[in-house]
Amino acid sequence: AFTPNGDGINDVALVQGWGIKEFLEVKIYNRWGQIVFESDNMSIGWDGTFKGKPQGMDTYSYIIKAISIKNEEMFEKGYITLIR
């Protein structure tokens, strides 16, 4: 979960991990399957907005693709909760 409320604590959802040689993408979807955030830069995270508007408290799904240090494609999917 993350809390994008502007207090400087846990305001951005970032991809973190080890063993990543090349980060390919992260996509975050709302409950209707609309992409609300995507990036190919692991240092850029989601601030809880879509088209400049704060998104509501909800659970969002994500997919992450990367290449491991063993040159294997990594694929992770899961859920993140936005709390306001």
Side-chain angles (χ1 to χ4, degrees):
F2 75 115
T3 57
N5 58 8
D7 67 357
I9 301 169
N10 203 26
D11 284 335
V12 177
L14 287 168
V15 176
Q16 298 178 347
W18 55 273
I20 297 173
K21 177 180 176 183
E22 181 183 355
F23 182 76
L24 300 176
E25 71 178 356
V26 58
K27 292 182 181 179
I28 299 177
Y29 300 84
N30 64 19
R31 66 175 55 234
W32 299 279
Q34 184 177 29
I35 298 173
V36 295
F37 175 78
E38 63 183 318
S39 178
D40 61 1
N41 185 335
M42 198 165 149
S43 300
I44 298 173
W46 185 39
D47 64 358
T49 63
F50 178 58
K51 295 185 179 180
K53 296 182 180 180
Q55 297 301 287
M57 288 188 5
D58 208 343
T59 299
Y60 296 80
S61 61
Y62 65 82
I63 62 163
I64 299 168
K65 293 180 185 177
I67 304 295
S68 75
I69 57 175
K70 295 181 180 181
N71 289 321
E72 298 170 341
E73 187 169 320
M74 302 167 61
F75 179 79
E76 293 290 329
K77 62 182 180 177
Y79 302 95
I80 187 162
T81 302
L82 188 159
I83 301 170
R84 293 230 181 249

